Amino acid sequence: MTEKHYWWKIVGVVLMLIVINRGLLTPLKHGIMDVSPDRIEAGKQVVFKINSYNANYKQAEKEIQVYLKHVPEDSKNKQEEFILKANAIEVINENQLQASFQLPSHLPDSRKVALFTLIVDNALDGATAIPSKIIMLQDSVDLADGIRQWSSSDKPHFHSPNKMYFPYRNILVETIRNTFFHVSLWFSMFLMFGMSVYYSVKYLKSNDPDADLRSFALVRTGLFFGIMGCLTGSLWARFTWETWWTTDIKLNMAALTILIYMSYLVLRAAIEDKDRKARISAAYNIFALVAVIPLIFILPRLTDSLHPGNGGNPAFGSDDMDNSLRIIFYPAVLAFMLVGLWMASLLYRSDKLLYIIEEKENN
Amino acid sequence: MNLIDLFLLTHNGLFLVVNSIVESTDFMRETGKIHVVYGVITIIFIGITLFLVYLERKISQIEKKINND
């Protein structure tokens, strides 16, 4: 093993520094926090008061555009969308503006009520939207007239910012940065448990006490990452899901994982004889991982979960992660894995020293 | 008012409840909840410190054994 080499530890620490620096200092893209009014009627003049986060409306005053967008749910053509441009915009301050619309008398929809997305675009911050927030009512349905009135405006041009931004998400806001610190802990935990199983198998094949020590050190480090993951996740949940602990399936399965590995430690402590201790804990460790994989990876995907990537949708789809997050997230996972391996190697080396000293004492 | 109208009304009502929770400002929710991120990093740092304490006790154990010989 290369546990006495330095290069990979340096790589881990440098990556960690980059992740902390970029993960904390990259600004969030501007986003719409709320809009009032959000219930409007077709055919009237309406003035929206828009409250944003991290915007530069005063600086970009001349180039701001506001749009209302509607995509009919029952439309056969999925590309079909209707966009209306605001006819007047008044900037109040950096984060607040008013946009007035002259609404056409009919909606481009065959129902009396339709949902609209509000889009704010400027050259400095790029475009941002608050999806399906505006509810528009109409007294009578006239689909042909609605489509005609809503189609007349020219195609809008949306800016994309030239700086790197993390996406703005309502409720999450700045805590989207926790993706790098909380999720990476769980990835690192699985590497530790996976590698410990490798050494457990090696022990059962060769009866080499060295493999047992390595496996034991990796399990303890993995458990450490699991407990850290639960604590950080709990804090994150408190201020986004408004509770320390929910009955979300992934949380309970993670707690179960921690209990399974806690009992591994108890089992190890309970057996006196060194050979038996190593053999039984190696066998237990293999079964523990086999039990944990369905708990974390399969069960949460079969049911609904608050965690992204569960309830049937693929993990890390484009809805949950965009490229600006990925470019920090993957180095973060690697950094936590390398630091975890370093911690495990320190545990293993100190245990090995104790083992050698005890062997000498016995002889 | 048909069923969809009713759904949208309750839907909107739900949003209002959620918004009123989000807009309540205490220390942790100030400036886009950035303090939650500091909290998470603090927890990780405390964890690493506890690991160092554990390692130090292990090394003390080794030192004691070597010095006894």
Side-chain angles (χ1 to χ4, degrees), chain A residues 173-341:
Chain A
V173 203
E174 300 278 0
T175 64
I176 201 160
R177 301 167 198 279
N178 278 348
T179 315
F180 314 130
F181 306 109
H182 164 75
V183 186
S184 314
L185 288 172
W186 295 104
F187 277 67
S188 185
M189 180 189 86
F190 271 103
L191 180 76
M192 300 300 135
F193 288 161
M195 281 183 74
S196 81
V197 166
Y198 167 78
Y199 284 113
S200 286
V201 172
K202 207 172 162 188
Y203 175 80
L204 290 177
K205 273 186 180 164
S206 65
N207 269 350
D208 179 10
D210 184 71
D212 176 58
L213 288 177
R214 284 177 193 270
S215 161
F216 183 39
L218 283 162
V219 167
R220 276 176 296 168
T221 323
L223 189 57
F224 167 80
F225 277 105
I227 292 170
M228 289 289 104
C230 267
L231 292 177
T232 55
S234 186
L235 183 74
W236 193 4
R238 174 65 189 81
F239 297 101
T240 47
W241 301 339
E242 305 298 327
T243 170
W244 293 106
W245 194 270
T246 70
T247 49
D248 184 74
I249 184 149
K250 208 154 194 167
L251 269 75
N252 288 337
M253 293 306 135
L256 206 55
T257 304
I258 286 173
L259 289 179
I260 287 173
Y261 280 98
M262 287 263 204
S263 53
Y264 168 91
L265 295 188
V266 174
L267 182 76
R268 244 190 116 88
I271 303 173
E272 283 290 325
D273 180 56
K274 276 201 171 140
D275 268 353
R276 269 172 51 108
K277 178 195 287 212
R279 192 150 338 120
I280 290 174
S281 57
Y284 182 94
N285 189 28
I286 294 166
F287 282 112
L289 191 74
V290 171
V292 158
I293 285 172
L295 290 186
I296 302 269
F297 289 113
I298 299 171
L299 281 181
R301 288 194 193 162
L302 295 179
T303 52
D304 264 339
S305 169
L306 289 163
H307 278 88
N310 297 306
N313 48 335
F316 303 114
S318 52
D319 286 346
D320 307 318
M321 278 276 215
D322 76 354
N323 286 335
S324 66
L325 289 173
R326 274 174 224 273
I327 208 168
I328 313 288
F329 177 69
Y330 293 140
V333 170
L334 193 59
F336 273 90
M337 283 177 169
L338 288 173
V339 169
L341 287 179

